[in-house]
Amino acid sequence: MAHLVGVSCTLINPFPSTKTCTKLLNQSSPLSHTSIQFRTSKSPNVILQSFKQKPQRQQVISATATPISHEIKGQPRSNSPQIPNESTSKPKKVMIIGGDGYCGWATALHLSNKNYEVAIVDNLVRRLFDHQLGLDSLTPISSIQNRVRRWKSLTGKSIQLHIGDICDFEFLSEAFKSFEPDSVVHFGEQRSAPYSMIDRSRAVYTQHNNVIGTLNVLFAIKEFREECHLVKLGTMGEYGTPNIDIEEGFITINHNGRTDTLPYPKQASSFYHLSKVHDSHNIAFTCKAWGIRATDLNQGVVYGVRTDETEMHEELCNRFDYDGVFGTALNRFCVQAAVGHPLTVYGKGGQTRGYLDIRDTVQCVELAIANPANPGEFRVFNQFTEQFSVNELAGLVTKAGKKLGLDVKTISVPNPRVEAEEHYYNAKHTKLVELGLKPHLLSDSLLDSVLNFAVRYEDRVDTTQIMPSVSWKKIGVKPKTVSV
């Protein structure tokens, strides 16, 4: 894979024009029988209107292929408790917003395999971010159209595809009326804290896309599917790092002789995390005011790339980010170890967070869907399985790497974030376990697997993207110059 070295690109407008979007989409995933229509918003507050279409020309793709009648090698078996859908005569419908992304794609395949009727809603902008920043997934990932078609050819199961932006309420309304979901799983947000801290335009985009998009989803449920259950992916980052135990969503306070149970205090640490806090408040309010049923999954840091479904064929492979903008700690460390780059520990390395395997992400979403909230109920689950500090993760990767013959070293780099580097951290996470979650805990064998995966694709690694390049303190008004 060729990489550009020493090239400096100033992104005067970091968000794409209609022409750019059309060109990129046609290059990455030529459509033989469909066309994409874009509409430019007249509102100056809308930062990005990419991959949009007029509702009357809404693109819905269902892969067409002859179902395979014989058993497929590697076809996963159902082993999750309290999942009633497979025994029902009519499959439940699940709309997955952001279904082309890291968590969304794995979840879409998992639920489809469990006999849910699945529709993906996505504007494909995550792929465009890679193009703008000169990044690339460690793994080669197929176009969303080819992914869906391959899934159909392997399993006989169809996944609908609605390409458009949920910030366009007309598009979202048409998707709702067309599919009529029983549940909506909402991954469709800009999910990177560093990305939200690059410059003013990306901070504004993150807040607009995430908060307005979620508001549109809430209004769509109210207007078109009032019984629909919203499963929203939040983040443990909403809580920050308080010097008391982190409860699951709510905390009981005794103050001046009176007691009340209140939402747990939020201490967000980036414009991205702040957008998630706003989401939680908006969802809680609409549950109270409109009777919406919602589950807020405050997810920890996800690692790994493989699920039973994504292993079935190379075209189903998930993305794997290792760069300083979108890569998460454990995934980044494994890639760094594989290519002989020192593990980059930010500051003192005492930052502690909750972590979980991508296989547990899809399991948690399935459990939330199968056990929905009641009308008017806003419930919060902390979605992680283990807690580690950055130093602990570096130690585990170093140990696993040496077993594979890798010379793994660790360096401390200046922390680009504004955060406590040593702190108390004890978060509760029992509700999903009570529903039947069977965690995949981080073990030597799992680390070996992720490391071997990184070694397999080491020729695709661009080492210039490993070091952090976004500073919380240096964010400014002007669009950031990105070096690749």
Side-chain angles (χ1 to χ4, degrees):
M1 179 179 182
H3 298 291
L4 300 176
V5 179
V7 179
S8 179
C9 306
T10 301
L11 303 181
I12 301 302
N13 178 5
F15 304 109
S17 65
T18 297
K19 182 177 179 181
T20 300
C21 292
T22 306
K23 181 179 179 182
L24 284 170
L25 186 58
N26 289 338
Q27 288 176 344
S28 62
S29 54
L31 304 176
S32 59
H33 62 284
T34 57
S35 61
I36 307 295
Q37 299 293 326
F38 297 93
R39 182 168 68 255
T40 302
S41 171
K42 297 179 180 179
S43 169
N45 294 324
V46 179
I47 301 296
L48 174 62
Q49 297 290 337
S50 65
F51 302 124
K52 279 189 165 184
Q53 11 175 185
K54 298 179 180 179
Q56 63 269 28
R57 295 288 302 277
Q58 180 181 5
Q59 181 198 14
V60 181
I61 298 176
S62 292
T64 56
T66 303
I68 299 174
S69 58
H70 60 276
E71 183 178 353
I72 302 167
K73 182 178 180 181
Q75 178 76 22
R77 299 189 301 271
S78 174
N79 57 2
S80 299
Q82 301 187 40
I83 308 297
N85 189 63
E86 291 182 286
S87 62
T88 60
S89 57
K90 184 179 180 182
K92 294 291 186 180
K93 294 183 175 183
V94 181
M95 175 183 286
I96 301 180
I97 301 174
D100 186 46
Y102 173 53
C103 292
W105 175 241
T107 301
L109 294 188
H110 179 79
L111 294 177
S112 177
N113 190 62
K114 293 300 180 73
N115 293 326
Y116 287 89
E117 187 175 339
V118 174
I120 287 174
V121 174
D122 205 299
N123 66 355
L124 309 184
V125 74
R126 176 64 187 84
R127 295 172 184 253
L128 201 63
F129 291 161
D130 279 355
H131 176 80
Q132 291 174 332
L133 299 177
L135 309 176
D136 200 0
S137 165
L138 177 70
T139 54
I141 51 174
S142 297
S143 71
I144 185 61
Q145 291 83 3
N146 287 340
R147 283 174 153 186
V148 168
R149 290 172 186 142
R150 178 59 63 183
W151 179 247
K152 172 73 173 182
S153 70
L154 288 171
T155 67
K157 299 176 185 294
S158 297
I159 294 177
Q160 287 189 25
L161 180 60
H162 301 254
I163 295 180
D165 192 339
I166 64 171
C167 288
D168 176 358
F169 190 70
E170 293 179 78
F171 160 77
L172 184 62
S173 299
E174 290 302 313
F176 260 77
K177 289 185 285 187
S178 171
F179 185 64
E180 297 183 333
D182 299 300
S183 299
V184 171
V185 182
H186 185 12
F187 292 101
E189 301 198 323
Q190 193 297 100
R191 57 94 172 165
S192 166
Y195 186 90
S196 75
M197 302 299 294
I198 291 176
D199 53 39
R200 182 206 62 84
S201 60
R202 290 183 175 90
V204 171
Y205 168 75
T206 298
Q207 296 258 331
H208 180 274
N209 179 80
N210 295 2
V211 178
I212 302 304
T214 298
L215 273 173
N216 279 349
V217 172
L218 292 167
F219 273 96
I221 291 173
K222 178 180 184 292
E223 292 298 317
F224 307 117
R225 296 292 292 176
E226 61 182 10
E227 292 300 314
C228 181
H229 176 212
L230 173 62
V231 178
K232 171 69 169 61
L233 261 290
T235 171
M236 290 296 295
E238 290 186 32
Y239 298 122
T241 54
N243 198 39
I244 58 174
D245 292 353
I246 297 174
E247 305 296 331
E248 294 200 68
F250 300 89
I251 186 171
T252 299
I253 301 292
N254 296 306
H255 181 65
N256 290 342
R258 303 187 69 84
T259 302
D260 202 353
T261 298
L262 303 169
Y264 195 95
K266 307 297 176 63
Q267 301 182 67
S269 58
S270 72
F271 289 119
Y272 155 73
H273 291 105
L274 283 164
S275 74
K276 293 286 195 174
V277 172
H278 302 329
D279 287 340
S280 294
H281 290 160
N282 286 336
I283 297 169
F285 170 73
T286 56
C287 287
K288 180 179 179 180
W290 302 340
I292 284 177
R293 57 178 82 204
T295 301
D296 202 4
L297 298 177
N298 283 336
Q299 183 168 252
V301 183
V302 185
Y303 59 82
V305 67
R306 290 171 170 162
T307 63
D308 289 339
E309 292 79 17
T310 62
E311 285 191 296
M312 291 171 61
H313 193 279
E314 61 182 5
E315 278 196 303
L316 302 181
C317 187
N318 208 347
R319 70 178 304 120
F320 190 103
D321 297 307
Y322 64 89
D323 58 89
V325 177
F326 291 101
T328 55
L330 186 59
N331 284 352
R332 294 180 65 242
F333 282 174
C334 287
V335 170
Q336 291 167 12
V339 299
H341 191 288
L343 309 188
T344 53
V345 171
Y346 292 176
K348 297 179 180 179
Q351 304 93 323
T352 301
R353 301 290 186 270
Y355 289 81
L356 77 162
D357 190 299
I358 184 67
R359 293 172 294 179
D360 291 338
T361 289
V362 302
Q363 189 185 168
C364 290
V365 172
E366 183 187 7
L367 286 166
I369 291 172
N371 303 274
N374 296 318
E377 180 184 10
F378 173 70
R379 62 183 187 179
V380 180
F381 298 161
N382 289 345
Q383 184 173 301
F384 69 96
T385 57
E386 298 177 276
Q387 294 181 176
F388 298 102
S389 70
V390 173
N391 284 329
E392 288 172 333
L393 286 181
L396 291 170
V397 173
T398 299
K399 179 182 176 182
K402 287 181 178 178
K403 286 173 55 180
L404 297 177
L406 301 174
D407 183 18
V408 183
K409 293 181 170 56
T410 299
I411 59 172
S412 175
V413 301
N415 192 346
R417 305 187 179 211
V418 177
E419 62 183 356
E421 296 178 0
E422 294 177 312
H423 55 84
Y424 176 80
Y425 197 83
N426 184 38
K428 307 294 180 62
H429 56 114
T430 61
K431 293 181 181 179
L432 283 162
V433 174
E434 291 168 356
L435 287 179
L437 173 64
K438 304 297 182 185
H440 296 82
L441 301 181
L442 186 60
S443 63
D444 290 344
S445 60
L446 179 60
L447 274 173
D448 289 348
S449 173
V450 178
L451 279 167
N452 278 312
F453 196 85
V455 170
R456 175 184 172 187
Y457 290 103
E458 64 177 316
D459 62 323
R460 289 178 54 86
V461 175
D462 179 1
T463 57
T464 66
Q465 299 293 347
I466 288 177
M467 297 298 289
S469 59
V470 180
S471 171
W472 265 230
K473 292 185 177 181
K474 294 181 181 179
I475 185 172
V477 170
K478 294 182 179 180
K480 177 80 177 276
T481 297
V482 180
S483 297
V484 296

